[in-house]
Amino acid sequence: GVWVSRDGLEQPWYQITQDSTYPKVNGKYEDPVVWRTAVQYHMIVNDWYGRIAYHLRSKDGAHWKVDCGEAYMPGVAVYSDGQKEDWYKYERIRVLQDEHGRAIQANFAVIDFDKRKDKPNDKHSSKNIPIPLIPGRLLNLINKEIPTKDTKEIRVRIIAEKGFNPHTDIDLNTLRFGAPEVIDFGKGSTLLTTEKSGDDLIAIFAAKGHAFADHNFAGKLLGRTSKGTLLFGYTRLPWVTYNEAILSVTNPELKTVDGKLAIAVSVTNYGVSASKPSKVVVTIATKEGKVIGEVEGTCSALKPWEEAIMALDAPASMQKDTLYDYTVTCGNETQHPLAFKTDNYKDKKHGRRHRRKKK
């Protein structure tokens, strides 16, 4: 789950999401590493049982998308002369970042045997190894609006930097640009032409094939260098709001307010921007899972780290001394609502487990 702190250091940490951010596939996950670039957040998490890792991306650190394929697996340690190191397992990845936040080196704990069978003074060993990474190129999307059927071209600035000249170091025929979900499968918009802009290069792509949708928050460039090596980069999408409010709730409580039963819900904004008035919907179910009602209200605009307590009129069928399960959704479409579901019958002691506080 995702935890946040007001200063990232000494303040209490609060859990703001209920569901795991990890891939929705069977695995024994551990050792997540998270870093942030100027474009987005990245996460790599390792499935130690399957000896495989996954890469996820997020615009705000709360809502995550799983990229297709593997982040790494046995066999990734290959020298430039083709020599391979046959490590049995890679774990505990950590990354070094450059001044732009890009990962430029991965450090792994590796072992050449099943570590549960590794004995003292045998022929097997574990080590820490560093593997250099190719940094993503620096990009800017010049288009300010999401491409429509009337859009003719997509213009991407590929920024020059030390050791990289976009005018000479790119195999232009290999370039594709668009939503990562299609770029990763060799699709996307194709290159029409280029323009010089000082040391930078403006790559002009056909608008067809980009596949950008409302859920996308980054564009991806993929291709090869003039030497045949990997070339890629991400860019923010100008039409996306990145610093949104992040609203999270606690377990609703059934209380008597002014002589009537009400469902009390606490809503807090854990984002870095103020929220807009947001709809809060509470669905109530019985022990048998039967939905007996749904109530909703509007939470006022909240500043970062501001809390509001809402009291929503309870359905007439609810009883004061009866346990119910609740599903609460808050936020609006642009804020990607976070849903919270209780299960009070299975865990009566931890009814307020959402937004737990840890010092």
Side-chain angles (χ1 to χ4, degrees), residues 243-245 269 271-276 301-304 335:
N243 294 324
E244 291 183 315
N269 177 11
V272 297
S273 298
S275 71
K276 299 177 181 178
L302 298 175
K303 298 177 182 178
Q335 292 168 349

Side-chain angles (χ1 to χ4, degrees), residues 151-171:
T151 304
K152 302 300 182 182
E153 58 186 32
I154 298 174
R155 301 171 69 87
V156 179
R157 179 183 296 274
I158 305 175
I159 299 172
E161 54 184 311
K162 184 178 179 179
F164 174 68
N165 182 344
H167 300 291
T168 60
D169 295 347
I170 301 176
D171 181 351

Side-chain angles (χ1 to χ4, degrees), residues 78-257:
V78 182
Y79 289 87
S80 57
D81 62 2
Q83 179 184 348
K84 296 182 180 181
E85 290 185 347
D86 190 21
W87 297 106
Y88 175 78
K89 179 181 285 191
Y90 295 73
E91 292 185 335
R92 289 173 173 81
I93 180 176
R94 293 295 180 265
V95 299
L96 294 179
Q97 296 172 259
D98 67 7
E99 65 273 21
H100 301 288
R102 298 174 296 185
I104 57 174
Q105 178 176 300
N107 293 339
F108 294 94
V110 297
I111 191 169
D112 62 353
F113 192 60
D114 186 335
K115 64 182 180 182
R116 292 168 295 185
K117 300 177 182 178
D118 187 21
K119 305 298 182 183
N121 301 317
D122 63 13
K123 66 178 181 179
H124 300 291
S125 65
S126 60
K127 299 183 184 298
N128 174 72
I129 66 169
I131 297 180
L133 303 175
I134 297 174
R137 303 273 57 109
L138 302 175
L139 310 175
N140 280 329
L141 179 56
I142 297 174
N143 298 57
K144 299 304 180 183
E145 305 292 336
I146 187 169
T148 67
K149 63 179 181 179
D150 298 322
T151 304
K152 302 300 182 182
E153 58 186 32
I154 298 174
R155 301 171 69 87
V156 179
R157 179 183 296 274
I158 305 175
I159 299 172
E161 54 184 311
K162 184 178 179 179
F164 174 68
N165 182 344
H167 300 291
T168 60
D169 295 347
I170 301 176
D171 181 351
L172 297 176
N173 293 323
T174 66
L175 291 185
R176 295 289 187 274
F177 179 78
E181 292 84 350
V182 296
I183 294 298
D184 289 342
F185 289 89
K187 300 179 182 179
S189 298
T190 56
L191 187 69
L192 296 176
T193 187
T194 62
E195 296 177 358
K196 288 187 176 183
S197 180
D199 292 336
D200 300 339
L201 179 72
I202 307 298
I204 303 172
F205 294 87
K208 182 179 179 181
H210 60 81
F212 287 128
D214 291 340
H215 59 82
N216 291 116
F217 52 84
K220 186 173 184 178
L221 179 76
L222 186 63
R224 291 192 176 277
T225 68
S226 54
K227 295 182 178 180
T229 58
L230 174 67
L231 181 142
F232 77 100
Y234 289 99
T235 178
R236 285 194 167 189
L237 304 179
W239 54 86
V240 172
T241 301
Y242 288 86
N243 294 324
E244 291 183 315
I246 301 176
L247 300 181
S248 185
V249 303
T250 56
N251 190 351
E253 296 183 60
L254 196 58
K255 295 184 175 182
T256 301
V257 178

